[in-house]
């Protein structure tokens, strides 16, 4: 509700007095709701020019007389000027007389007839006299709208963990090491039945904290014809030092690990039972480059990217099955796992030990990796000679990193000891070059470039050393080229990829060529692929026989996919239905090869049914596949049936994870939790103001927190908010969303803070809440020998102990009084709007007031926040 106040006016110039003055409620989407002081002449509302422009973030400056305003809007070429002293107005570079009855020069602002707001700025205001509200329609984009879009984009980037500087937040929950803390258990249970036998398989991956470090390991068991075959892998304990959580620092040691490990060699890796020490940070560095990991799989599949066993990203493959990660990866060789959940219910795990030549160390940074122990195969032989690996890297500049290392042990070759040298360089910012020198093994150079329009070129050349254990095929050299060219076809994004590889041997060569073309026509996505192999080897000599696929061959593949719309015009049982057809043609033998059809449809919101049929034309055989996947909140179940002329395979699988929080609550999840972390957030009213949760205090059940990175949240029946899928050892910023609290008068003492996610377990975060504070005061003005309250003045209240300014505007009542409630605990300052002070040619005593709202269970109340305005001398 808006209120009228009739105020006396003192004339600074000879001008008519308004018939009335009022506060009207101005609502605008990008602004919210604010009160605006207007004056009326015969029911025509004159609007405050300076206040409106400030609200809309339209830049303005005072004229020479100090009473007018000037600037440029809506473009930099459109000059405007309002000068009440000279009686002129400039609009779009055209100057005309400003009639005296079209403006009013008040004590705190210049009030202008609404027609000039429309003509000059395209701001069309209208006033509802019954509700005393002000509305606006703008002809041009307003700076406040653009500002809101930018702020929304920044918030979105922050929530997605965009690589940018984060506003500082206090670290409230640092690493809290535990001697023993049970954590997570991932499981995969499957039963397979064929015509001849049945198999039961179990995969258990357990993780916990032990002696201040993270412990984990995998157990795999298979029961075949009543016989149990078991295997334990990846069992290791790791202790992470404090420096491992600071990726921007170069420390002496970050972690030490013992157990079943894998070496980080540049050429190959070896499984060992032993010890590993490194000074590479646990949290990847993200300040230089990122590495692109992409590929094709079944459309609509969920793809997870794990680096060193830690989940760093996940996404859904697009309509053609393409996925792409821009992943932060450290230098050298890392273990990369892509885990794919297909719509058919399959779980495809691809482990790769990749050489990453296009990442760099910051200038002056030096890193190392050391592993030593007994080699492990299917069994461990304690009589074997120990092996060791050591590598170093140093950032000469931000664009040049050099490496050196050594492998020692019988598993690496006859020489037992092999040195390794290499460098990675960035040329002209976007051209990346990598060189590896491995004496007695091979010499390799590669380069790549990725342009802003997504065009990419990658090339590699390798010269092999004859007789090396790493050259069993007897190749002399090898060269490859991979290019991708995006373009638009039919107004849609399309792309063409061309890949070529050439291998040279003593007795000939072998060439592999492949091309891909993707485009979209309406709702149909088309993909065409052609690959061929030219075999130029006539005499195999002493080489082992080559597999069939290594001979000359050629194959063309065409596929079409179509997804029905999810609109009311489409029957509900087929909305979003995914259809794909594929045809393969053998170009070498000039005959059709296979044809396949597949449909996939979402059922019961969280389930997906997939039916596919493949037909080999030459062999006249077919393969029928039926799969159903359903995601419950705490478990994922998949059923698969395959039938061909030979027999059938039926499989039922259950996948999920169990986590235990510090209170003993078991939290089931349908996604893996080992190597990750979780938090149990408890919001409560701190009745005794001790900052700790006590048994008799009230828990507030609400999803009232936000994180700066993605995570899953579940509000329990006990009122505790449990957050899962956090990355172990990573630092997160948590912010309390006061608007999501059921009581709007509750607020935390610290609303934004940082915490460390504990490895392989949950941690508790308690957030005490208090009643918000209230302030009260009065603003007076001294003029003509008397002191009186001043109404309609703007006061600014600013939070001091908060990262990022938080401003609130308070309007004084007709008697000069003001109050503001809903203040969160913390330190503030209040001051009169400087623009109004300058316009009125007065000063404020005091200039500002600092005060503190204490965190009290019943709320804090401050009064006597008074300001006195005096004329400037």
């Amino acid at each position: 509700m808006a209120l009228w106040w009739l105020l006396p006016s003192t004339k600074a110039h000879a001008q008519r007095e308004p018939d009335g003055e009022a506060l009207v409620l101005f609502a605008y989407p990008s602004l919210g709701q604010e009160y605006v002081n207007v004056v009326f002449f015969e029911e025509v509302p004159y609007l405050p020019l300076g206040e409106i422009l400030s609200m809309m973030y339209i830049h303005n400056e005072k004229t020479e007389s100090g009473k007018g305003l000037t600037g440029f809007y809506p473009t930099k070429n459109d000059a405007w000027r309002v000068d009440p002293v000279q009686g002129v107005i400039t609009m779009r570079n055209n100057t005309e007389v400003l009639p005296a009855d079209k403006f009013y020069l008040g004590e705190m602002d210049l009030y202008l007839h609404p027609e000039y707001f429309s003509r000059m700025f395209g701001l069309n205001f209208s006033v509802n006299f019954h509700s005393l509200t002000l509305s606006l329609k703008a002809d041009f984009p307003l700076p406040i709208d653009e500002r809101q879009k930018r702020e929304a984009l920044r918030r979105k980037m922050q929530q997605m963990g965009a690589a940018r500087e984060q506003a500082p937040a206090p670290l409230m929950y640092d690493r809290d090491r535990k001697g023993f803390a049970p954590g997570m258990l991932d499981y995969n249970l499957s039963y397979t039945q064929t015509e001849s036998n049945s198999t039961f398989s179990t995969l258990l991956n357990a993780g916990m904290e032990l002696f201040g470090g993270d412990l984990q390991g995998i157990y795999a068991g298979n029961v075949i014809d009543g016989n149990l075959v078991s295997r334990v892998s990846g069992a290791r304990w790791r202790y992470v030092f404090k420096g491992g959580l600071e990726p921007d620092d170069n420390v002496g040691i970050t972690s030490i690990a013992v157990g079943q490990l894998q070496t980080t060699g540049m050429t190959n890796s070896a499984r060992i039972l032993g010890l590993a020490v490194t000074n590479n940070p646990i949290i990847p560095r993200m300040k230089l480059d990122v590495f692109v990991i992409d590929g094709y799989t079944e459309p609509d599949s969920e793809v997870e990217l794990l680096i060193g066993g830690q989940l760093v990203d996940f996404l859904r493959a697009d309509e053609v099955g393409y996925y792409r990660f821009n992943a932060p990866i450290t230098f050298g060789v890392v273990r990369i796992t892509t885990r794919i959940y297909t719509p058919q219910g399959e779980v495809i795990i691809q482990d790769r030990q990749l050489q990453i030549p296009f990442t760099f160390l910051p200038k002056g940074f030096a890193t190392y990796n050391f592993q030593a122990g007994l080699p492990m195969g299917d069994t461990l032989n304690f009589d074997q000679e120990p092996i060791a690996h050591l590598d170093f890297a140093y950032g000469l500049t931000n664009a040049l990193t050099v490496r050196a290392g050594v492998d020692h042990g019988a598993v690496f070759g006859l020489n037992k000891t092999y040195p390794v040298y290499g460098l990675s360089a960035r040329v002209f910012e976007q051209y990346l070059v990598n060189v590896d020198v491995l004496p007695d093994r091979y010499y390799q150079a590669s380069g790549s470039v990725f342009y802003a329009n997504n065009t990419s070129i990658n090339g590699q050349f390798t010269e092999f050393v004859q007789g090396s254990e790493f050259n069993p095929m007897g190749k002399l050299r090898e060269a490859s080229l991979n290019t991708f060219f995006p373009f638009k076809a039919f107004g849609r994004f399309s792309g063409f990829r061309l890949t070529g590889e050439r291998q040279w041997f003593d007795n000939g060569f072998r060439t592999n060529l492949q091309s891909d073309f993707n485009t979209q026509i309406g709702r149909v996505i088309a993909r065409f692929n052609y690959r061929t192999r030219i075999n130029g080897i006539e005499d195999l000599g002493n080489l082992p026989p080559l597999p069939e696929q290594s001979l000359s061959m050629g194959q063309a593949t065409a596929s079409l996919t179509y997804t029905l719309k999810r609109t009311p015009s489409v029957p509900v049982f087929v909305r979003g239905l995914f259809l794909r057809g594929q045809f393969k043609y053998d170009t070498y033998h000039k005959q059709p090869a296979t044809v396949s059809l597949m449909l996939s449809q979402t059922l019961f919101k969280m389930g997906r049914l997939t039916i596919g049929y493949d037909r080999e034309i030459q062999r006249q055989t077919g393969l029928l596949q039926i799969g159903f996947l359903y995601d419950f909140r705490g478990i994922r179940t998949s059923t698969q049936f395959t039938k061909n002329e030979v027999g059938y395979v039926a499989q039922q699988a259950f996948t999920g994870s169990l986590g235990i929080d510090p209170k003993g609550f078991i939290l089931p999840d349908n996604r893996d939790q080992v190597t990750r972390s979780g938090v149990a957030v408890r919001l409560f009213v701190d009745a005794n103001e001790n900052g700790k949760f006590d048994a008799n205090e009230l828990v507030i059940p609400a999803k009232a927190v936000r994180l700066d990175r993605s995570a899953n949240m579940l509000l329990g029946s006990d009122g505790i908010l449990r957050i899962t899928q956090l990355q172990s050892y990573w630092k997160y910023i948590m912010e309390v969303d006061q608007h999501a609290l059921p009581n709007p008068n509750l607020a935390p003492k610290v609303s934004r803070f940082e915490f460390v996610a504990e490895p392989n377990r949950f941690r508790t975060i308690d957030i005490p809440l208090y009643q918000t504070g209230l302030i009260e005061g009065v603003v007076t003005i001294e003029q003509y020998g008397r002191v009186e309250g001043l109404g309609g003045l703007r006061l600014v209240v600013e939070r001091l102990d908060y990262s990022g300014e938080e401003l609130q505007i308070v309007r004084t009542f007709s008697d000069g009084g003001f109050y503001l409630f809903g203040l969160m605990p913390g330190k503030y300052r209040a001051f009169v709007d400087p623009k109004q002070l300058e316009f009125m040619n007065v000063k404020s005593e005091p200039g500002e007031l600092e005060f503190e709202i204490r965190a009290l269970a019943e709320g804090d109340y401050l009064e006597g926040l008074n300001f006195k305005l005096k004329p400037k001398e």
Side-chain angles (χ1 to χ4, degrees), residues 192-241:
T192 303
Q193 179 68 54
T194 67
E195 291 179 334
S196 57
N197 60 20
S198 61
T199 304
F200 176 76
S201 301
T202 178
L203 182 68
L204 302 177
N205 187 7
M208 60 181 294
E209 186 168 2
L210 183 67
F211 303 135
D214 58 288
L215 174 67
Q216 63 190 58
I218 300 174
Y219 168 80
N222 295 288
V223 179
I224 305 175
D225 296 331
N227 298 317
L228 175 62
V229 179
S230 300
R231 181 181 179 184
V232 176
S233 62
R236 64 107 180 102
W237 176 83
R238 179 179 61 175
Y239 188 91
V240 177
F241 296 91

Side-chain angles (χ1 to χ4, degrees), residues 841-863:
N841 197 31
V842 297
K843 62 181 179 179
S844 172
E845 294 183 356
E848 63 180 42
L849 284 173
E850 292 191 3
F851 59 93
E852 181 179 3
I853 298 295
R854 294 172 296 170
L856 303 178
E858 300 301 324
D860 198 6
Y861 172 68
L862 296 178
E863 59 181 341

Side-chain angles (χ1 to χ4, degrees), residues 626-671:
I626 301 176
F628 180 69
L629 174 72
Y630 194 86
D631 269 335
F632 296 94
R633 205 217 64 79
I635 192 172
R636 170 178 294 178
T637 174
S638 62
T639 305
Q640 185 79 18
F641 178 79
T642 303
K643 179 70 172 68
N644 58 16
E645 285 76 4
V646 177
Y648 72 91
V649 177
Q651 184 182 62
Q652 175 63 51
F654 298 94
T655 304
S657 180
L658 300 174
I660 181 170
D661 73 2
K663 303 302 179 183
F665 184 87
I666 302 297
L667 185 68
D669 202 315
N670 59 17
R671 301 182 70 89

Side-chain angles (χ1 to χ4, degrees), residues 515-589:
S515 61
D516 284 275
F517 171 72
N518 300 288
T519 190
Q520 183 173 350
I521 305 174
R523 299 189 63 82
V524 177
I525 298 175
R527 179 187 178 190
F528 303 95
N529 171 270
Y530 174 74
R531 56 177 180 165
T532 182
R533 175 172 288 148
I534 303 172
N535 187 27
I537 302 177
E538 299 178 358
D539 181 15
L540 296 178
N542 296 325
L543 292 177
L546 296 173
E548 179 183 353
Q549 61 265 29
S550 69
L551 302 178
S552 297
M553 58 168 288
Q555 181 174 272
T557 303
S559 65
L560 299 175
T561 61
Y562 180 80
T563 304
L564 273 69
K565 295 181 179 179
R566 298 182 182 270
T567 58
S569 61
V570 179
V572 66
F573 58 90
V574 292
R575 288 178 189 170
L577 179 66
F578 177 83
L579 299 168
R580 185 184 70 177
Q582 183 173 277
F583 176 73
K584 293 183 179 180
Y585 183 81
D586 190 335
T587 58
Y588 187 74
H589 296 98

Side-chain angles (χ1 to χ4, degrees), residues 292-439:
V292 176
I293 300 171
D294 62 355
Y296 285 93
T297 184
E298 292 293 328
D300 207 37
S301 296
E302 292 182 356
V303 187
E304 293 183 340
L305 175 67
L306 296 92
I307 300 179
Q310 186 178 50
L311 179 70
V312 297
D313 203 358
F314 64 92
L315 50 77
R316 190 178 295 273
D318 63 16
E319 294 84 353
V320 297
Y322 180 70
Y323 61 89
R324 174 191 177 94
F325 293 100
N326 291 327
I329 303 178
T330 53
F331 73 95
V333 174
V334 295
R335 188 170 184 82
I336 297 176
T337 301
T338 52
R339 185 161 49 205
I340 303 172
Y341 299 94
T342 69
Q344 292 84 4
E346 294 181 277
V347 180
I348 303 172
I349 299 178
Q350 300 173 346
D351 290 318
R352 294 182 289 173
Q353 194 82 354
L354 290 183
Q355 179 181 329
I356 313 297
F358 308 134
T359 52
F360 304 88
L361 290 178
K363 181 180 179 180
F365 274 42
T367 61
Y368 67 88
N369 292 285
F370 172 74
Q371 299 98 28
L374 295 176
M376 291 186 61
D378 295 334
T379 60
L380 178 63
N381 186 351
F382 287 94
D383 294 331
Q384 288 183 296
E385 180 183 350
I387 66 174
H389 165 81
L390 176 65
D391 64 66
F392 292 93
Y394 181 74
L396 290 175
T397 69
N398 284 341
L400 179 61
T401 297
V402 294
R403 302 183 297 274
V406 61
D407 292 322
H408 177 77
V411 298
F412 296 110
L414 297 177
N415 294 345
K416 291 188 178 181
T417 302
Y418 290 89
V420 177
Y421 310 98
L423 65 86
S424 296
R426 182 189 296 109
V427 182
F428 301 120
E429 295 297 330
Q430 60 183 345
Y431 295 91
L432 304 177
V433 178
N434 191 81
V435 177
D436 294 316
V437 178
L438 291 84

